[in-house]
Each structure stands twice: as C-alpha cells, then as structure tokens.
Amino acid sequence: MDKPKYSIGIDLGTTNCAISFIDLRIDNAQSQVLCVTQLDTENSVIESKTLPSFLYLPFGREEYSTRDYHVGEIEGWAVGEFARKQTSVSPGRVAHSAKSWLGHHLESPERRLLPWDSNAVQPDEKISPLAASSMLLGYLKSVWDVRFAKEAARFIDQLVTITVPASFDVAAQQSTMEAAVNAGYPDSVRLLEEPQAAFYRWMEAGGAFEERERESPFEIESVLVVDIGGGTSDFSFFRIIKGRQEPVFERVAVSEHILLGGDNMDLALAHAVESLLDKKVDEELSGEQWRFLIARARDLKERCLSASEGGEGERFSVAIPAAGSGLLAGTLTAEFEMELARSMLIDGFFPDCPSNARPDLPQRGLQEWGLPYAPDFAVTRYLADFLRDLSAVDAVLFNGGTLSAPVLKQRLLSQIEVWQDGKAPRVLRNRETDLAVARGAAYSGALLHRKETKIEAGSSRAVYLEVGSLGGAEVSRLVCVLPKGAVAGDVFAVELAGLNLMVNQLARFQAYQGANDREEEAGAIALFHERSFTRLPLLETSVALTARDGVAENSIPVRL
C-alpha cells in the first residue's frame, strides 16, 4: 500500500450516501465533498453531492444512452437518483433501506430479500442487504477512481472511514465491515459513529454557534447530538474535559438502536392517505400499490416539512395504479390536507411530553416491510428517556436529513428548554445536515493520520456471553467479555472455574449487548433481564479433538 494522499470519509446512509476527502499533503486542509456522477433519467447524467441509497433492477429491454460509460449502475443495477425516481414508476424493482436491514438480526444480512416482498423481481435476482450495501460502497469507490485516475491516487491506497449509527451493535458493525471488504476497500478501513462524525465536522468548521446573544458568558460542559435520518434516531451525549492545552470531548452515552426516522413518517402518511382512496371498503392494496403509495407519501412529507407555514387550505393529490392495471390504465385517487399532514408529522412524531416520559413499548413493535420499526413513534419520548440520568444539556448539535426541516429542530429545542426549567441549550451551527457526517469522517481520519484526537470514546456498550442458567429458575447467567468504554486494541482475558467447551460437535454461543447503564468489568457475572440486555446473533464453532488413550473427550476447559 502506498502512503495515503487523502483521508476519505463515507456516509453510508439509509436514504442518501455521501463521500468527502481531505488532502493529507496540505497542512490544515479543509474537507471537500466529492460530487457523485449518476443517472438522472435514462438518457441524462448529473453530478450531485449525495447518492440516494436506492438500487433499481432494469427490465432486460431497457437501454440507456449512457450505458457505454458505465455511469449510474453497478452489477446490473442502476444506482442513485434515477433509481430513487423509479420508486414512483416501478417500485417493486427498487431495493432500499439496506442499512436498516444490517441492524435487523431476525434476518441474515446475506439473505436475498431485497426488494422486500416483491413479485416484480425473481427470487434469484434479489440481493441481500449485505450485497446492496457493498454495491453502494463499491459505486462510490468507482466514482473516486475515475475522478482521481490522472493523479494515480487509487481509492484502495487512501485512509478510509465509514460512518455507522452510534447504536449499531457489534454484529451490525461487522456486517458493515464485511460489505466494505466485498466492495474492495482497503484493509485499514475503519468505522466511526455518525454523531461523532457530525461533531468532528462542527469542530473542523470552527466550532461556531447559531446566532443567539446572551447577556452573560455561557460555559459549555456538555453537548447533545441528535441525529435523525431516514432510518434511525441516534442520540449521543458528550462531556467536555477541560484543564488540558485544548479541551477534549468525551462521548459518555449513546442511545439504543431506534428504528425511527423519515421512513416511519412516510409509512404513517401512507396509512392515512390509504383510508381516503376511492376504493371498495374491503379492498386491500397489493404490495406493489403500497410501494406507489409510500413514494407519494414521501413527496407529501417533503412538501410539508419544507413549507414555512402549515399550508392551510392547500391539498395534496395522490394517485396510484388500480389493482391489475397499468400505470395509465386505471388509478385510485385521494386528496389529503397539507395542514393535517404537517400536524401528523410534527405533533405525531415530536409531541410535547414531560421530562420523565418513557416510550410506549408494547410486547411487539410495528412490523412493516419486514423491519421491526420502533413501537412508539414519538421521538421526544425516546429523547426524554435517554436524557433521564444525564446532566443538563448545555448545547445541541442537530444532524441528519430529517432534521434539515427547521420546524423539527425548533420543536426539539423548545422541548429540551421546558425539561430544563427554562434553561435553553445553545445550538451548534450545522448548515449541512446531509453532508456533515461524511466531512467529519474525513476530518477524523486526517486527525488520526496526524496522531491527534479530539474525542475520547471507547466501546459504547458492554458485550456478554451466556454461560449457563442459575439453578432451576432458568435465569441465564452472562459473563462480561468486553466492558463498556473499552478502547480498540485492549485485550481482556476471562477465566471462570468450571467453564468448559463442548468438542466434536457444533457449539453455539448466545451473545448479548448490555444496556447503556451496564458497566461491569470483564469477567463479571450478570443475570439476564430483558430490559438490560439485547440479544445478538448466535456465534457458532466446532472444535475437533482426537481421543487420547482410547478415551474420547466431550469437553475441554477454556478461557475467554
């Protein structure tokens, strides 16, 4: 590997991807966004700062005037803006939300299931969430290599950082790394939590605040990062460590994995519009019709949140193909009040609530399109629960595509002010909620290259292995193998008396991730409780041991 010339940051988003870079040969160089060449229509190409995370499988007869240049497609799938637009034309042939599936352990990331529940694509033509993520990453790599070919700065020779939700567990992180390896990324590729990346970008940009005059100096000791994208709501809490030459930020808490974002808003609006369609009372929409409806609901959401006012009196027209008809052969139509839709989005997803509120968690969450979405759609209740045992919030950094809408940021800011008895947090300036993560990742890599650090953050959660049950109570005993706060490179050895491994047969190990407040040391024993631990995918192995002196061993003592 040649000495890297660039630090590259990649935001692998649920709805959009972005790529940024910093020239490591220039002192104090600022991050830049690499515009991504992609199809806009069958016959036109655009360059955009973001790459929509959509993949469209063309019909065999479809031809693009740009195909000779291999622009906008990878492995036979169209990618980016053109693919996103196909959600309104041929939604059953569009794969999306791959990132959400990587964190969904009820399905293997290697199972061919995208586009989800679609009859428009043959089973052997479908792709796995892992493959879809790898294709998105691979396309960004190809764009880089084309753009930097004359400079002989191959992507594989650069310092690459990919961002993931702070709430991604170790299995989801591993799947992301596997997707990167499959896409031909360098062995040195690293992962960075998205809220950290957004925070790094704020520091790179000069650490400015939104304009808000105060009569007295405001001493900042803590920062809350609220990152809401298309698929997840991610909260991180940072404490400022002073007394050094430069302040250092310590990441002290991250939220649980909350599958709640722009996709949920689309679904909620689609359900509301569905009840108004001019169809028979007992007529159910097909999967294909639902995809058309969700695409129109997404347009409605974007119209509502971009408007400065409630759109009083304005109506939004929706039309989808009728059952068994072509796109123009017949339609189901409805009109939806813009003011009502805006109220659903703001008051439904960001309602006022007390500081001691907890999300409503029924036994089973909403299962839409195969994904276990958050059972409570109120972002504010999840945020109140996250902040419950933390100190006061001095400043807030808003990030993510969903929070590009000023009305949503203001609602969250007002809510935090109420929770803190009128003490309003300052707002850290972020003018690029869709690009800050990629740019911050590039900046983080540049700091690493210079052996500098701005944020101290170890493992966000402890990891446990199940090692047996407690008596006849059938309560699982778990041993901590990776403590919360562990730094990359740390090694922990755990020895327990009587701990044995079955040999000459398949052995399965159930792993768990601890809740935010679990801080046991390596080797400590804990008892399973459903509110304190999250089940991870099974680990499997088989150890063969030959018989000694004619006696076959069933198990051997081990240490972890």
Side-chain angles (χ1 to χ4, degrees), residues 55-59 62 77 90-95 115 118 120-121 125 288:
L55 294 155
Y56 166 69
L57 183 63
F59 292 96
E62 290 184 76
W77 290 72
S90 300
R93 303 184 70 81
V94 180
S118 172
V121 175
E125 293 180 307
E288 195 76 359

Side-chain angles (χ1 to χ4, degrees), residues 387-453:
L387 294 174
R388 180 183 305 275
D389 298 320
L390 297 172
S391 59
V393 177
D394 292 337
V396 181
L397 176 64
F398 293 114
N399 193 63
T402 298
L403 291 183
S404 61
V407 64
L408 300 184
K409 290 187 284 191
Q410 187 56 49
R411 173 60 67 95
L412 287 172
L413 190 63
S414 298
Q415 186 69 95
I416 296 172
E417 183 176 354
V418 170
W419 292 341
Q420 298 187 159
D421 297 324
K423 181 183 177 182
R426 297 190 71 174
V427 179
L428 308 188
R429 181 178 297 169
N430 181 9
R431 300 294 169 81
E432 301 174 304
T433 55
D434 56 342
L435 299 172
V437 164
R439 298 188 70 170
Y443 179 59
S444 169
L447 290 176
L448 180 68
H449 181 75
R450 300 198 295 261
K451 295 181 172 55
E452 298 179 23
T453 183

Side-chain angles (χ1 to χ4, degrees), residues 10-51:
I10 290 180
D11 177 6
L12 179 63
T14 305
T15 306
N16 289 288
C17 300
I19 178 170
S20 178
F21 62 95
I22 290 180
D23 193 329
L24 297 175
R25 298 162 296 181
I26 302 175
D27 292 338
N28 301 318
Q30 288 283 304
S31 63
Q32 301 180 57
V33 176
L34 179 65
C35 287
V36 181
T37 307
Q38 56 196 286
L39 288 174
D40 183 41
T41 68
E42 295 93 332
N43 304 312
S44 63
V45 172
I46 60 171
E47 287 196 346
S48 173
K49 292 182 178 180
T50 59
L51 176 76

Side-chain angles (χ1 to χ4, degrees), residues 482-552:
L482 181 76
K484 178 182 176 181
V487 179
D490 286 351
V491 177
F492 301 91
V494 176
E495 296 191 44
L496 297 177
L499 185 62
N500 289 272
L501 170 69
M502 295 184 296
V503 296
N504 300 320
Q505 60 181 301
L506 184 65
R508 291 187 174 91
F509 303 86
Q510 181 60 63
Y512 292 87
Q513 177 174 274
N516 200 45
D517 58 353
R518 306 292 310 199
E519 298 191 11
E520 286 91 354
E521 296 181 354
I525 299 294
L527 300 181
F528 173 79
H529 187 279
E530 62 182 9
R531 289 190 65 90
S532 298
F533 299 94
T534 301
R535 190 184 302 269
L536 297 174
L538 283 170
L539 304 175
E540 296 182 344
T541 191
S542 180
V543 175
L545 187 66
T546 57
R548 290 181 293 181
D549 300 326
V551 178

Side-chain angles (χ1 to χ4, degrees), residues 154-194:
R154 299 186 309 163
F155 184 93
I156 199 170
D157 294 327
Q158 311 313 314
L159 187 62
V160 181
T161 302
I162 302 173
T163 62
V164 294
S167 55
F168 253 22
D169 59 37
V170 290
Q173 292 176 27
Q174 179 60 29
S175 294
T176 306
M177 289 292 283
E178 188 174 346
V181 170
N182 294 343
Y185 277 44
D187 294 338
S188 60
V189 64
R190 57 192 282 266
L191 301 181
L192 179 68
E193 296 172 6
E194 290 166 3

